[in-house]
Amino acid sequence: DVARDGAMTGPNVALYEEAARRFPGIAWQASGGVRDVADLRALADAGAVAAVSGRALLEGRMSREELEPFLRNG
């Protein structure tokens, strides 16, 4: 949802839930609105396998320890 890129308004979780439900064979990468680790958890629960978290990372809203469960190679 590019309208949410950099806006820090939260990701469009419903969009990714619907996409993952309709097209389960696609590895969905979420983008737009990620504010914190709670948003990453919600996206993972919705079926997204990855998420772009640029501004939240740049602003230090997520620590390395919080991100650890989401990192494939630690």
Side-chain angles (χ1 to χ4, degrees), residues 1-7 9 31-33:
D1 189 344
V2 295
R4 296 178 188 225
D5 281 352
T9 57
S31 179

Side-chain angles (χ1 to χ4, degrees), residues 4-72:
R4 296 178 188 225
D5 281 352
M8 305 288 287
T9 57
N12 189 345
V13 175
L15 172 70
Y16 296 104
E17 286 175 335
E18 176 69 11
R21 183 186 65 74
R22 291 181 65 194
F23 305 101
I26 296 175
W28 293 99
Q29 178 174 311
S31 179
V34 173
R35 300 165 292 195
D36 53 30
V37 173
D39 287 339
L40 295 179
R41 279 191 208 100
L43 288 167
D45 290 345
V49 299
V52 177
S53 310
R55 186 166 174 194
L57 289 170
L58 287 172
E59 292 185 2
R61 293 175 176 254
M62 298 180 277
S63 70
R64 171 76 182 191
E65 294 78 24
E66 290 176 307
L67 291 170
E68 200 68 37
F70 300 99
L71 302 175
R72 290 192 177 144

